[in-house]
Amino acid sequence: MAVRIALLFVGIALLLAAPLTQQHEVFSYGKETDKWGSLNPQFSECSTGTLQSPVAISKENVVYNPMLKPLTRHYTATNATLVNHGFGIGLQFENDGGVLIQDGKNYTLKQMLWHAPAEHTINDETYPLELQLIHVADDGSISVVAILYSYGDPDMLLRQLNSKIHQLAQEKCGGDEEAHISFSGLKTKYLKRNSLKYYRYVGSLTIPPCTTNVTWNILGKVREVSKEQIKDLKAPLDEGCKDNARPLQPLNGRKIELYDAKHEN
Ligand SMILES: *[C@@H]1O[C@H](CO)[C@@H](O)[C@H](O)[C@H]1NC(C)=O
Ligand SMILES: *[C@@H]1O[C@H](CO)[C@@H](O)[C@H](O)[C@H]1NC(C)=O
Ligand SMILES: *[C@@H]1O[C@H](CO)[C@@H](O)[C@H](O)[C@H]1NC(C)=O
Protein backbone atom coordinates (compact mmCIF):
# COMPACT_ATOMS: atom_id res chain seq x y z
CA MET A 1 0.00 0.00 0.00
CA ALA A 2 2.72 2.48 0.97
CA VAL A 3 4.49 1.73 -2.29
CA ARG A 4 1.38 2.37 -4.27
CA ILE A 5 0.77 5.74 -2.63
CA ALA A 6 4.40 6.79 -3.04
CA LEU A 7 4.12 6.05 -6.75
CA LEU A 8 0.93 8.02 -6.90
CA PHE A 9 2.77 11.06 -5.66
CA VAL A 10 5.46 10.64 -8.21
CA GLY A 11 2.57 10.81 -10.67
CA ILE A 12 1.12 13.93 -9.13
CA ALA A 13 4.55 15.52 -8.86
CA LEU A 14 5.04 14.95 -12.58
CA LEU A 15 1.62 16.39 -13.16
CA LEU A 16 2.51 19.51 -11.23
CA ALA A 17 6.08 19.61 -12.53
CA ALA A 18 7.24 20.03 -8.92
CA PRO A 19 9.18 17.16 -7.39
CA LEU A 20 7.85 15.83 -4.09
CA THR A 21 10.52 13.77 -2.43
CA GLN A 22 9.01 12.92 0.93
CA GLN A 23 7.30 9.69 1.79
CA HIS A 24 3.56 10.07 1.54
CA GLU A 25 0.61 8.73 3.39
CA VAL A 26 -2.40 6.75 2.42
CA PHE A 27 -5.63 8.68 2.21
CA SER A 28 -9.19 7.50 1.98
CA TYR A 29 -12.74 8.80 1.77
CA GLY A 30 -15.83 9.10 3.95
CA LYS A 31 -15.08 10.61 7.36
CA GLU A 32 -11.36 10.25 6.59
CA THR A 33 -11.47 13.22 4.20
CA ASP A 34 -11.44 15.54 7.25
CA LYS A 35 -8.00 14.21 8.15
CA TRP A 36 -6.25 14.67 4.80
CA GLY A 37 -4.59 17.93 5.88
CA SER A 38 -2.92 16.30 8.88
CA LEU A 39 -1.64 13.19 7.07
CA ASN A 40 1.40 14.97 5.72
CA PRO A 41 2.75 18.55 5.80
CA GLN A 42 2.52 18.54 1.99
CA PHE A 43 -1.25 18.06 2.31
CA SER A 44 -1.88 21.08 4.53
CA GLU A 45 -3.85 22.95 1.87
CA CYS A 46 -6.50 20.22 2.15
CA SER A 47 -7.47 21.66 5.55
CA THR A 48 -6.21 25.26 5.43
CA GLY A 49 -7.08 26.11 1.82
CA THR A 50 -10.07 28.42 1.41
CA LEU A 51 -10.49 28.03 -2.36
CA GLN A 52 -10.96 24.30 -2.57
CA SER A 53 -12.88 21.88 -4.82
CA PRO A 54 -15.38 20.39 -5.46
CA VAL A 55 -18.21 22.91 -5.06
CA ALA A 56 -21.97 22.99 -5.47
CA ILE A 57 -23.01 24.77 -8.65
CA SER A 58 -26.42 26.39 -8.32
CA LYS A 59 -28.58 29.16 -9.72
CA GLU A 60 -27.58 31.34 -6.75
CA ASN A 61 -23.86 31.31 -7.47
CA VAL A 62 -23.66 31.13 -11.27
CA VAL A 63 -23.08 34.29 -13.33
CA TYR A 64 -23.24 34.32 -17.14
CA ASN A 65 -20.00 35.77 -18.53
CA PRO A 66 -20.25 36.85 -22.19
CA MET A 67 -16.45 37.21 -22.34
CA LEU A 68 -15.78 33.48 -21.88
CA LYS A 69 -14.66 31.65 -25.00
CA PRO A 70 -15.43 28.15 -26.23
CA LEU A 71 -13.05 25.43 -25.00
CA THR A 72 -11.05 24.06 -27.90
CA ARG A 73 -9.78 20.53 -27.54
CA HIS A 74 -7.44 18.65 -29.83
CA TYR A 75 -7.05 15.27 -28.15
CA THR A 76 -4.69 13.10 -30.11
CA ALA A 77 -4.09 10.42 -27.49
CA THR A 78 -4.09 6.87 -28.73
CA ASN A 79 -1.61 5.34 -26.30
CA ALA A 80 -2.24 5.60 -22.61
CA THR A 81 -1.66 3.76 -19.35
CA LEU A 82 -4.59 2.67 -17.24
CA VAL A 83 -3.66 2.98 -13.57
CA ASN A 84 -5.26 1.79 -10.36
CA HIS A 85 -4.20 4.44 -7.84
CA GLY A 86 -6.08 2.60 -5.11
CA PHE A 87 -8.18 5.72 -4.50
CA GLY A 88 -9.37 5.85 -8.10
CA ILE A 89 -8.84 4.68 -11.67
CA GLY A 90 -6.89 6.94 -13.98
CA LEU A 91 -5.73 6.98 -17.56
CA GLN A 92 -2.31 8.60 -17.93
CA PHE A 93 -0.78 10.07 -21.03
CA GLU A 94 2.74 10.87 -22.01
CA ASN A 95 3.20 14.19 -23.72
CA ASP A 96 1.00 13.16 -26.62
CA GLY A 97 -2.37 13.33 -24.85
CA GLY A 98 -3.40 16.36 -26.82
CA VAL A 99 -4.15 19.97 -26.16
CA LEU A 100 -6.86 22.07 -24.55
CA ILE A 101 -6.84 25.69 -25.64
CA GLN A 102 -8.39 27.84 -22.94
CA ASP A 103 -8.35 31.62 -23.31
CA GLY A 104 -5.61 31.32 -25.93
CA LYS A 105 -3.33 29.24 -23.70
CA ASN A 106 -2.32 25.64 -24.46
CA TYR A 107 -2.69 22.97 -21.76
CA THR A 108 -1.53 19.38 -22.36
CA LEU A 109 -3.78 16.49 -21.36
CA LYS A 110 -1.95 14.45 -18.69
CA GLN A 111 -4.49 12.28 -16.99
CA MET A 112 -8.14 11.33 -16.81
CA LEU A 113 -9.52 10.37 -13.39
CA TRP A 114 -12.91 8.89 -12.59
CA HIS A 115 -14.81 9.75 -9.42
CA ALA A 116 -17.98 7.87 -8.46
CA PRO A 117 -20.21 9.45 -7.26
CA ALA A 118 -19.51 12.75 -9.00
CA GLU A 119 -17.78 15.45 -6.94
CA HIS A 120 -19.44 18.60 -8.32
CA THR A 121 -23.18 18.97 -8.00
CA ILE A 122 -25.49 21.05 -10.19
CA ASN A 123 -28.67 22.49 -8.64
CA ASP A 124 -28.38 20.04 -5.74
CA GLU A 125 -28.25 17.06 -8.04
CA THR A 126 -25.52 14.50 -7.33
CA TYR A 127 -24.57 12.53 -10.42
CA PRO A 128 -23.25 8.95 -10.25
CA LEU A 129 -19.99 9.67 -12.10
CA GLU A 130 -17.56 12.50 -12.92
CA LEU A 131 -14.66 12.20 -15.35
CA GLN A 132 -11.92 14.76 -14.78
CA LEU A 133 -9.53 15.53 -17.62
CA ILE A 134 -6.45 17.07 -16.04
CA HIS A 135 -4.32 19.35 -18.20
CA VAL A 136 -1.08 21.16 -17.38
CA ALA A 137 0.41 24.15 -19.23
CA ASP A 138 4.13 24.70 -19.79
CA ASP A 139 4.20 27.16 -16.85
CA GLY A 140 2.69 24.52 -14.55
CA SER A 141 -0.84 25.92 -14.39
CA ILE A 142 -3.53 23.28 -14.19
CA SER A 143 -6.90 23.21 -15.93
CA VAL A 144 -9.49 20.48 -15.45
CA VAL A 145 -12.40 19.69 -17.74
CA ALA A 146 -15.05 17.74 -15.82
CA ILE A 147 -17.80 15.68 -17.40
CA LEU A 148 -20.81 14.57 -15.36
CA TYR A 149 -22.75 11.38 -16.09
CA SER A 150 -26.21 10.14 -15.23
CA TYR A 151 -27.34 6.51 -15.45
CA GLY A 152 -28.30 5.35 -18.94
CA ASP A 153 -26.58 3.80 -21.93
CA PRO A 154 -22.97 2.61 -21.63
CA ASP A 155 -20.28 5.30 -22.02
CA MET A 156 -18.19 4.81 -25.18
CA LEU A 157 -14.87 5.76 -23.58
CA LEU A 158 -15.27 3.27 -20.72
CA ARG A 159 -16.49 0.63 -23.13
CA GLN A 160 -13.08 0.69 -24.85
CA LEU A 161 -11.39 0.14 -21.49
CA ASN A 162 -13.77 -2.51 -20.20
CA SER A 163 -11.52 -5.57 -20.43
CA LYS A 164 -8.51 -3.66 -19.06
CA ILE A 165 -10.50 -2.49 -16.05
CA HIS A 166 -11.45 -6.10 -15.36
CA GLN A 167 -7.76 -6.98 -15.61
CA LEU A 168 -6.93 -4.25 -13.08
CA ALA A 169 -9.39 -5.75 -10.63
CA GLN A 170 -7.52 -9.04 -10.84
CA GLU A 171 -4.03 -7.52 -10.62
CA LYS A 172 -4.99 -5.90 -7.36
CA CYS A 173 -4.51 -9.22 -5.61
CA GLY A 174 -1.03 -9.63 -7.07
CA GLY A 175 0.82 -7.26 -4.74
CA ASP A 176 0.72 -3.76 -3.40
CA GLU A 177 2.28 -1.89 -6.28
CA GLU A 178 0.09 0.45 -8.28
CA ALA A 179 -1.30 -1.65 -11.13
CA HIS A 180 -0.58 -0.34 -14.64
CA ILE A 181 -1.88 -1.61 -17.97
CA SER A 182 -0.86 0.03 -21.22
CA PHE A 183 -3.48 0.69 -23.78
CA SER A 184 -3.20 1.66 -27.43
CA GLY A 185 -5.78 2.62 -30.01
CA LEU A 186 -7.83 4.78 -27.66
CA LYS A 187 -10.53 6.72 -29.47
CA THR A 188 -11.17 10.11 -27.92
CA LYS A 189 -13.36 11.49 -30.68
CA TYR A 190 -16.42 11.99 -28.57
CA LEU A 191 -14.51 13.80 -25.82
CA LYS A 192 -13.63 16.54 -28.27
CA ARG A 193 -17.17 17.52 -29.12
CA ASN A 194 -17.77 21.21 -28.79
CA SER A 195 -19.34 22.19 -25.54
CA LEU A 196 -22.09 24.72 -25.84
CA LYS A 197 -22.13 25.28 -22.11
CA TYR A 198 -19.66 25.06 -19.24
CA TYR A 199 -19.19 26.36 -15.70
CA ARG A 200 -15.84 27.98 -14.79
CA TYR A 201 -14.32 28.71 -11.42
CA VAL A 202 -10.93 28.58 -9.72
CA GLY A 203 -10.45 25.88 -7.10
CA SER A 204 -8.09 23.03 -6.25
CA LEU A 205 -7.23 19.42 -6.97
CA THR A 206 -9.83 17.23 -5.22
CA ILE A 207 -7.18 14.75 -4.01
CA PRO A 208 -4.19 15.44 -1.75
CA PRO A 209 -2.13 17.62 -1.91
CA CYS A 210 -5.29 19.68 -2.78
CA THR A 211 -3.14 22.16 -4.71
CA THR A 212 -4.98 25.44 -5.35
CA ASN A 213 -5.22 27.74 -8.37
CA VAL A 214 -6.70 25.04 -10.56
CA THR A 215 -9.08 26.26 -13.27
CA TRP A 216 -12.22 24.14 -13.43
CA ASN A 217 -14.48 23.81 -16.47
CA ILE A 218 -17.52 21.66 -15.71
CA LEU A 219 -19.32 20.81 -18.93
CA GLY A 220 -23.04 21.55 -19.00
CA LYS A 221 -23.79 18.51 -21.14
CA VAL A 222 -24.41 15.51 -18.90
CA ARG A 223 -23.48 12.19 -20.51
CA GLU A 224 -24.67 8.65 -19.85
CA VAL A 225 -23.00 5.68 -18.19
CA SER A 226 -24.38 2.26 -17.27
CA LYS A 227 -24.63 0.99 -13.70
CA GLU A 228 -22.46 -1.96 -14.69
CA GLN A 229 -19.64 0.36 -15.85
CA ILE A 230 -19.64 2.19 -12.53
CA LYS A 231 -19.57 -1.11 -10.66
CA ASP A 232 -16.54 -2.14 -12.75
CA LEU A 233 -14.73 1.14 -11.97
CA LYS A 234 -15.20 0.63 -8.24
CA ALA A 235 -14.20 -3.05 -8.14
CA PRO A 236 -10.39 -2.57 -8.24
CA LEU A 237 -10.35 0.25 -5.64
CA ASP A 238 -9.19 -0.01 -2.04
CA GLU A 239 -11.75 -0.39 0.74
CA GLY A 240 -12.47 3.12 1.98
CA CYS A 241 -12.17 4.50 -1.56
CA LYS A 242 -15.08 2.78 -3.28
CA ASP A 243 -17.04 6.05 -3.09
CA ASN A 244 -14.26 8.42 -4.06
CA ALA A 245 -15.94 11.82 -4.01
CA ARG A 246 -14.47 14.50 -1.76
CA PRO A 247 -17.23 16.37 0.11
CA LEU A 248 -18.36 19.75 -1.22
CA GLN A 249 -16.15 22.66 -0.17
CA PRO A 250 -17.35 26.18 0.67
CA LEU A 251 -17.23 28.75 -2.12
CA ASN A 252 -16.06 31.47 0.28
CA GLY A 253 -17.28 34.26 -1.94
CA ARG A 254 -16.29 32.72 -5.27
CA LYS A 255 -18.66 33.11 -8.18
CA ILE A 256 -19.03 30.44 -10.83
CA GLU A 257 -19.01 31.79 -14.36
CA LEU A 258 -21.19 30.37 -17.08
CA TYR A 259 -20.26 30.05 -20.74
CA ASP A 260 -23.36 29.51 -22.81
CA ALA A 261 -23.17 29.64 -26.60
CA LYS A 262 -26.96 29.81 -26.81
CA HIS A 263 -27.42 32.56 -24.25
CA GLU A 264 -29.88 35.20 -25.45
CA ASN A 265 -29.01 38.74 -24.58
C1 LIG B 1 1.33 3.61 -29.79
O1 LIG B 1 1.52 2.24 -29.51
C2 LIG B 1 1.71 1.48 -30.67
C3 LIG B 1 1.70 0.01 -30.27
O2 LIG B 1 2.35 -0.20 -29.07
C4 LIG B 1 3.04 1.92 -31.32
O3 LIG B 1 3.27 1.16 -32.48
C5 LIG B 1 2.93 3.40 -31.67
O4 LIG B 1 4.16 3.85 -32.15
C6 LIG B 1 2.55 4.22 -30.44
N1 LIG B 1 2.28 5.59 -30.86
C7 LIG B 1 2.82 6.63 -30.26
C8 LIG B 1 2.41 7.97 -30.78
O5 LIG B 1 3.60 6.54 -29.31
C1 LIG C 1 -1.39 25.08 -29.24
O1 LIG C 1 -2.00 23.92 -29.73
C2 LIG C 1 -2.42 24.00 -31.08
C3 LIG C 1 -3.19 22.73 -31.41
O2 LIG C 1 -2.46 21.58 -31.12
C4 LIG C 1 -1.21 24.21 -31.97
O3 LIG C 1 -1.63 24.33 -33.31
C5 LIG C 1 -0.48 25.46 -31.52
O4 LIG C 1 0.70 25.59 -32.26
C6 LIG C 1 -0.14 25.39 -30.04
N1 LIG C 1 0.43 26.65 -29.61
C7 LIG C 1 1.52 26.69 -28.85
C8 LIG C 1 1.94 28.07 -28.44
O5 LIG C 1 2.13 25.70 -28.50
C1 LIG D 1 -2.85 31.16 -10.78
O1 LIG D 1 -2.85 30.70 -12.12
C2 LIG D 1 -2.80 31.71 -13.10
C3 LIG D 1 -2.88 31.08 -14.47
O2 LIG D 1 -3.65 29.94 -14.49
C4 LIG D 1 -1.53 32.51 -12.93
O3 LIG D 1 -1.52 33.57 -13.86
C5 LIG D 1 -1.43 33.05 -11.52
O4 LIG D 1 -0.16 33.66 -11.34
C6 LIG D 1 -1.58 31.94 -10.50
N1 LIG D 1 -1.62 32.47 -9.17
C7 LIG D 1 -0.93 31.95 -8.17
C8 LIG D 1 -1.10 32.61 -6.84
O5 LIG D 1 -0.23 30.97 -8.31
Side-chain angles (χ1 to χ4, degrees):
M1 177 65 73
V3 174
R4 176 189 295 172
I5 298 301
L7 284 171
L8 157 68
F9 281 95
V10 173
I12 290 179
L14 285 175
L15 200 75
L16 305 181
L20 297 177
T21 49
Q22 278 171 261
Q23 193 61 38
H24 295 282
E25 313 293 331
V26 173
F27 66 91
S28 56
Y29 286 84
K31 285 200 189 98
E32 299 299 310
T33 53
D34 296 341
K35 299 181 190 153
W36 285 0
S38 56
L39 290 174
N40 187 296
Q42 306 263 14
F43 296 179
S44 62
E45 272 189 288
C46 299
S47 51
T48 61
T50 55
L51 305 175
Q52 292 283 296
S53 295
V55 298
I57 299 165
S58 71
K59 290 189 184 75
E60 289 73 44
N61 56 37
V62 170
V63 191
Y64 169 63
N65 180 353
M67 306 300 284
L68 286 179
K69 299 190 172 57
L71 296 172
T72 309
R73 288 173 289 159
H74 301 286
Y75 295 147
T76 48
T78 54
N79 293 352
T81 307
L82 191 68
V83 182
N84 180 9
H85 293 300
F87 73 83
I89 305 295
L91 196 57
Q92 288 178 342
F93 303 95
E94 300 301 330
N95 282 324
D96 63 348
V99 174
L100 159 73
I101 305 174
Q102 178 192 288
D103 301 329
K105 183 166 170 173
N106 280 14
Y107 293 79
T108 304
L109 177 64
K110 295 286 186 184
Q111 172 145 209
M112 299 183 188
L113 270 178
W114 283 271
H115 290 268
E119 300 200 293
H120 291 84
T121 61
I122 299 185
N123 295 330
D124 294 327
E125 183 156 358
T126 302
Y127 292 90
L129 183 69
E130 177 170 336
L131 172 60
Q132 298 175 354
L133 292 85
I134 303 168
H135 310 75
V136 183
D138 285 344
D139 65 2
S141 30
I142 303 173
S143 174
V144 185
V145 172
I147 303 171
L148 299 170
Y149 294 79
S150 53
Y151 288 123
D153 289 335
D155 169 59
M156 294 311 286
L157 179 70
L158 281 171
R159 196 141 92 177
Q160 298 175 62
L161 300 171
N162 193 32
S163 65
K164 306 280 179 189
I165 291 172
H166 283 165
Q167 230 175 299
L168 273 186
Q170 272 143 31
E171 290 210 356
K172 190 188 171 218
C173 312
D176 58 11
E177 295 230 348
E178 202 173 52
H180 288 77
I181 296 177
S182 42
F183 186 89
S184 60
L186 185 71
K187 295 187 187 72
T188 51
K189 194 171 77 181
Y190 97 116
L191 286 173
K192 289 184 279 196
R193 272 187 213 150
N194 270 346
S195 316
L196 297 176
K197 191 171 169 182
Y198 66 81
Y199 301 96
R200 160 86 53 88
Y201 78 100
V202 177
S204 72
L205 295 180
T206 61
I207 51 171
C210 307
T211 312
T212 42
N213 205 19
V214 170
T215 306
W216 282 88
N217 302 285
I218 294 100
L219 302 187
K221 166 113 179 111
V222 174
R223 299 188 183 279
E224 289 186 3
V225 65
S226 71
K227 288 190 174 168
E228 191 67 25
Q229 288 181 313
I230 292 183
K231 209 175 108 205
D232 288 348
L233 273 175
K234 288 175 188 276
L237 302 183
D238 292 344
E239 289 307 321
C241 298
K242 299 280 187 194
D243 290 322
N244 60 358
R246 187 187 191 193
L248 292 169
Q249 304 293 307
L251 274 168
N252 290 328
R254 283 173 288 179
K255 284 287 179 194
I256 297 167
E257 297 182 316
L258 170 67
Y259 166 81
D260 186 353
K262 291 184 177 164
H263 194 274
E264 289 172 16
N265 290 297

